[in-house]
């Protein structure tokens, strides 16, 4: 069969298969064109989720009839004046979107340039049906452009079978618009679906954008990601070798079960990039369980020529000249912001607690509130010593707000005891699991195991960075029997475990003997610790060193070395725990992303009882 050149209409339909996957893809391309045209407001109208109608209206610069005819030709664009793919300053540049969309729909382009004379001959409309182009005709229209796409994919019926129900397609359009609205807060965006307004984001004023760009962007992010995110967001602004990273990230205790609330942008372009997503996971791996995801909106501006955006027709992927530099910038900036947050936990934790309270629901159960034991229970004197250890030993724990540990513990039965510390003064222990402390304007409820787990973990990291983990010799070495698979995974790693303070040796078939443990762990379930470490090795494989997975290993060890729920603590122990939380980084959440404490203001408590 002879080789022949395909007709232009068929070429455009083939290209449409890459550029226009669904209605949301067409909306994204058309809105990006409006943004590149300098629009201050963009309105989108849908019918049946975009299947029967997509209309995008903007107040941008508009086009002349000659420009309209060129705009619907393949690879015709105004966005590469120097023909340099390394110098792209716009969202679009390929010149494929309009001809591709027009080849599979009934397409109408109407435009009027700004500054043109009033009258019907200053605006023109152009019709294209299934790729067959007409001629521009005069039509009334205000300055700007309107693009109408009717019966999308009517020219390629097979593609229609892959479209979902209208509601689902509308949700994809909403997601695409929200991402563009985040990147361009100065522009107003609106979406109308079958006559119902789905979203409406007014443009942020130029004065606020000039005076405080971060606040302006957070205002737009709040409208999109919710008030909880705005109330618990940490600002990011970091630079390295010409790259600049800005945006906001949520506290670890504000997390989700998926990554749908993670928004990443490169040079104003929404992207879904594995490198960027991996960097975010790496920054939070110290704070969240593997199945939890933080809320972030990050904007990376790169030097010209350092990013290749011509990777895929949909422009959702990019490649960096120095990927390691970008990853390091993101991880470092996010970890620094999280460290600056100290022991802060998200306000949503308290709101969730209040929402779960049902006044008058349960009768009073005597004994439900347990007063502190007057003396430490057996085995807790060591824990008290750990709590009260000099703070200077924690190299990584900055003193918060200039507070030092109290010279004498506060007794819970002293009504005049000071409550001026951020986490207050301990008053009681509930169900031998939760510490109740009184603050100046409310109460704090602390999960003693989760809180102590974070403290032990941070001290282990500080010890490792300071030269090594101190070890404690067991008076009676403990023999631990494990299955062959676990022993096979652990045996090659015994030298690495020794560096982490855990001295383990082979002890015949099917067993290991533990001779020394990290001193920080105190009394520890050695059998459970080795079993969990074996599971950790099974998950991340033999090809990674323990130092590469240091956070996971330390987290597992800290969990086993922490005061458990069900352990009774006295008042000095509880207050020592509170004071160390206040000076320990990230003490607002445990190593798995769960909150370590809930703070309830007195006004909220009074509302529960109808006092306000």
């Amino acid at each position: 069969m002879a080789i022949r050149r395909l007709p232009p209409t068929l070429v455009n339909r083939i290209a449409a298969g890459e550029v226009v996957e669904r209605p949301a893809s067409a909306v994204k391309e058309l809105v990006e064109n409006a943004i590149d045209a300098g629009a201050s407001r963009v309105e989108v109208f849908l019918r049946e989720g975009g299947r029967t109608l997509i209309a995008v209206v903007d107040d941008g610069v508009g086009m002349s009839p000659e420009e309209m005819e060129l705009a619907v030709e393949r690879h015709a664009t105004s966005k590469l004046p120097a023909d340099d793919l390394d110098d792209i300053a716009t969202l679009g540049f390929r010149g494929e979107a309009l001809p591709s969309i027009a080849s599979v729909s009934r397409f109408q382009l109407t435009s009027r340039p700004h500054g043109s004379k009033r009258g019907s001959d200053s605006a023109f409309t152009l019709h294209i049906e299934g790729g067959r182009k007409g001629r521009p005709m005069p039509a009334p229209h205000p300055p700007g452009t309107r693009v109408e796409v009717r019966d999308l994919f009517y020219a390629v019926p097979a593609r229609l079978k892959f479209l979902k129900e209208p509601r689902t397609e509308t949700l994809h359009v909403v997601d695409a618009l929200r991402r563009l609205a985040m990147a361009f807060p100065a522009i107003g965006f609106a979406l109308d679906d079958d006559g119902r307004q789905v979203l409406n984001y007014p443009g942020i004023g130029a004065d606020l954008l000039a005076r405080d760009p971060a606040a302006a962007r957070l205002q737009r992010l709040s409208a999109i990601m919710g008030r909880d995110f705005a109330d618990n967001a940490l600002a990011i602004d970091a630079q390295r070798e010409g790259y600049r990273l800005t945006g906001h990230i949520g506290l670890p205790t504000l997390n989700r079960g998926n990554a749908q609330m993670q928004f990443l942008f490169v040079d104003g372009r929404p992207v879904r990039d594995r490198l960027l997503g991996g960097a975010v996971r790496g920054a939070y791996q110290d704070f969240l369980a593997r199945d939890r995801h933080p809320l972030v909106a990050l904007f990376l501006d790169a030097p010209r020529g350092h990013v290749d955006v011509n990777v895929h027709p949909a422009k959702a992927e990019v490649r960096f000249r120095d990927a390691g530099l970008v990853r390091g910038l993101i991880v470092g900036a996010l970890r620094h912001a999280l460290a600056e947050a100290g022991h802060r936990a998200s306000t949503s934790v308290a709101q969730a607690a209040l929402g779960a309270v049902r006044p008058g629901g349960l009768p009073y159960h005597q004994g439900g509130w347990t007063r502190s034991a007057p003396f430490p229970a057996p085995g807790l004197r060591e824990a008290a010593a750990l709590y009260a250890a000099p703070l200077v030993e924690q190299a990584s724990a900055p003193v918060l707000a200039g507070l030092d540990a109290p010279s004498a513990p506060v007794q819970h039965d002293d009504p005049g005891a000071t409550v001026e510390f951020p986490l207050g003064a301990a008053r009681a222990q509930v169900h031998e699991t939760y510490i109740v402390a009184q603050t100046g304007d409310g109460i704090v409820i602390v999960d003693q195991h989760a809180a102590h787990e974070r403290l032990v973990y941070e001290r282990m990291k500080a010890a490792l960075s300071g030269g090594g983990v101190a070890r404690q010799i067991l008076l009676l070495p403990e023999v631990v029997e494990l299955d062959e698979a676990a022993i096979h995974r652990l045996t090659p790693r015994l030298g690495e475990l020794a560096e982490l303070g855990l001295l383990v040796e082979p002890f015949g078939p099917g067993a290991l003997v533990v001779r020394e443990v990290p001193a920080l762990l105190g009394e520890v379930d050695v059998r459970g610790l080795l079993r969990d470490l074996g599971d950790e090795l099974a998950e991340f494989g033999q090809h990674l060193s323990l130092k590469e997975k240091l956070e996971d290993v330390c987290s597992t060890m800290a969990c086993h070395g922490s005061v458990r729920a069900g352990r009774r603590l006295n008042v000095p122990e509880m207050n020592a725990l509170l004071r160390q939380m206040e000076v320990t980084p990230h003490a607002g959440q445990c190593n798995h992303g769960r909150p370590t404490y809930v703070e309830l203001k007195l006004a909220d408590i009074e509302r529960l009882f109808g006092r306000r």
Side-chain angles (χ1 to χ4, degrees):
M1 184 177 294
I3 298 175
R4 66 184 180 90
R5 188 183 299 274
L6 295 176
T9 300
L10 183 57
V11 170
N12 286 335
R13 290 180 181 176
I14 293 173
E18 298 178 319
V19 178
V20 188
E21 178 185 1
R22 62 192 333 148
S25 307
V27 170
K28 173 181 175 292
E29 297 290 345
L30 297 176
V31 173
E32 286 182 349
N33 281 345
I35 294 171
D36 287 340
S40 63
R41 182 168 177 81
V42 182
E43 297 177 302
V44 180
F45 301 87
L46 302 180
R47 296 294 178 270
E48 296 186 45
R51 181 193 296 257
T52 58
L53 172 67
I54 298 171
V56 176
V57 183
D58 69 68
D59 59 356
V61 296
M63 290 179 281
S64 67
E66 295 76 19
E67 290 174 320
M68 292 169 61
E69 288 193 277
L70 273 176
V72 295
E73 293 291 335
R74 187 167 170 79
H75 298 314
T77 182
S78 62
K79 301 171 185 179
L80 288 175
D83 298 334
D84 185 359
L85 284 177
D86 291 329
D87 187 16
I88 298 174
T90 55
L91 296 176
F93 61 91
R94 301 174 65 97
E96 288 186 316
L98 290 185
S100 297
I101 296 171
S103 70
V104 295
S105 67
R106 295 182 172 92
F107 183 90
Q108 180 176 324
L109 174 62
T110 306
S111 188
R112 175 183 170 186
H114 274 266
S116 61
K117 296 179 180 180
R118 292 185 176 274
S120 61
D121 58 350
S122 61
F124 287 80
T125 186
L126 174 65
H127 291 270
I128 302 176
E129 184 157 342
R132 295 183 295 275
K133 184 173 66 173
R135 298 285 298 174
M137 301 295 292
H141 194 268
T145 300
R146 178 185 179 94
V147 180
E148 292 187 8
V149 180
R150 297 184 182 274
D151 301 326
L152 184 64
F153 299 134
Y154 94 95
V156 281
R159 178 60 65 90
L160 286 172
K161 299 177 182 178
F162 294 93
L163 294 184
K164 306 298 183 182
E165 62 179 356
R167 175 62 178 163
T168 301
E169 297 298 340
T170 298
L171 290 176
H172 284 287
V173 173
V174 169
D175 181 67
L177 274 181
R178 282 177 170 171
R179 292 176 186 273
L180 290 169
M182 289 180 183
F184 299 93
I187 302 175
F189 294 86
L191 172 63
D192 180 287
D193 179 39
D194 287 325
R196 178 179 62 93
Q197 188 173 76
V198 177
L199 58 83
N200 183 22
Y201 304 133
I204 307 298
D207 55 342
L208 179 58
L209 281 166
R211 185 177 68 255
D212 193 342
R217 176 158 279 162
L218 186 59
Q219 182 176 324
R220 174 60 61 86
L221 294 178
S222 174
I224 297 172
M225 300 178 68
R227 174 53 57 186
D228 279 349
F229 178 77
D231 290 343
N232 300 284
L234 307 175
I236 301 293
D237 192 344
Q239 299 185 55
R240 183 181 298 179
E241 297 186 23
Y243 288 88
R244 185 179 183 187
L245 181 70
T246 58
H248 291 80
I249 64 172
L251 290 167
T253 42
L254 184 70
N255 55 65
R256 296 288 187 273
N258 55 48
Q260 290 183 355
M261 293 296 280
Q262 293 182 9
F263 303 95
L264 308 172
F265 305 82
V266 177
D267 293 335
R269 189 188 310 277
V271 298
R272 302 178 187 272
D273 186 84
R274 290 184 180 181
L275 169 70
L276 302 181
V280 170
R281 288 193 300 273
Y284 276 89
Q285 70 178 359
D286 210 2
F287 314 104
L288 290 178
R290 293 179 181 86
D291 60 345
R292 305 303 297 177
H293 302 268
L295 281 66
V296 303
L298 295 173
F299 305 83
L300 179 68
D301 294 316
R304 292 285 174 85
H306 283 239
V307 180
D308 182 6
V309 299
N310 190 29
V311 177
H312 188 274
K315 305 184 293 292
E317 301 175 15
V318 295
R319 289 179 184 159
F320 297 97
R321 177 180 296 181
D322 191 341
L325 173 65
V326 173
R327 177 180 170 82
L329 171 62
I330 295 173
V331 173
L334 269 59
R335 286 187 173 178
H336 177 75
L338 292 169
E340 289 289 314
H343 70 274
R344 177 183 167 195
S346 70
T347 58
S348 61
V349 173
Q351 293 167 1
L354 288 168
V357 173
R358 297 293 179 267
L362 293 175
Y364 172 76
H365 173 68
Q366 188 172 1
W369 287 74
T370 305
R371 286 176 58 88
S372 304
F375 300 102
L380 284 183
R381 294 188 184 276
E382 294 80 1
L386 173 60
Y387 290 150
L391 298 180
V392 295
E393 293 182 6
Q394 299 185 48
S396 65
V399 176
L400 184 66
L403 293 176
D404 296 317
S407 57
V410 180
Q411 297 297 326
H412 82 285
D413 54 357
D414 177 8
T418 178
V419 290
E420 295 179 355
F421 294 106
L423 295 182
R427 295 305 190 206
Q429 184 186 30
V430 183
H431 295 298
E432 299 179 342
T433 300
Y434 303 102
I435 298 169
V436 180
Q438 180 181 342
T439 64
D441 60 351
I443 63 173
V444 169
I445 305 173
V446 177
D447 181 332
Q448 66 189 42
H449 172 67
H452 193 217
E453 180 181 348
R454 170 59 70 177
L455 299 183
V456 174
Y457 177 45
E458 292 297 334
R459 296 188 67 178
M460 287 192 69
K461 290 199 303 180
L464 284 169
S465 64
V469 178
R471 297 191 301 215
Q472 174 181 316
I473 299 175
L474 297 179
L475 294 178
L476 294 175
E478 186 159 349
V479 177
V480 179
E481 296 182 354
L482 296 171
D483 60 79
E484 292 185 8
I487 291 178
H488 177 73
R489 290 191 294 268
L490 287 167
T491 301
R493 304 301 186 93
L494 298 184
E496 294 176 273
L497 289 174
E499 294 181 35
L500 298 174
L502 190 64
L503 185 60
V504 183
E505 299 174 356
F507 195 77
L512 297 171
V513 60
V514 180
R515 301 190 181 278
E516 299 178 15
V517 297
L520 286 172
L521 300 187
E523 298 179 7
V524 63
D525 175 10
V526 174
R527 184 183 304 275
L529 174 59
L530 284 186
R531 185 186 306 113
D532 285 354
L533 286 175
D535 292 341
E536 291 279 349
L537 290 173
E539 183 161 339
F540 63 76
Q542 295 289 331
H543 63 287
L544 291 176
S545 70
L546 294 187
K547 287 186 177 180
E548 290 179 280
K549 298 295 292 182
L550 185 61
E551 289 81 4
D552 290 333
V553 175
C554 285
S555 178
T556 300
M557 298 173 79
C559 185
H560 281 272
S562 301
V563 171
R564 295 286 180 180
R567 299 281 294 275
R568 180 168 294 189
L569 306 179
N570 65 11
V571 173
E573 292 169 340
M574 290 190 287
N575 276 302
L577 175 63
L578 296 175
R579 302 292 79 80
Q580 292 223 355
M581 288 177 66
E582 290 166 352
V583 297
T584 300
H586 324 305
Q589 60 275 325
C590 74
N591 312 337
H592 312 293
R594 295 188 297 272
T596 59
Y597 71 90
V598 175
E599 181 177 9
L600 302 178
K601 298 298 184 182
L602 185 59
D604 295 325
I605 299 173
E606 289 176 340
R607 274 194 291 270
L608 289 176
F609 291 94
R611 288 178 172 266
R612 289 199 175 201

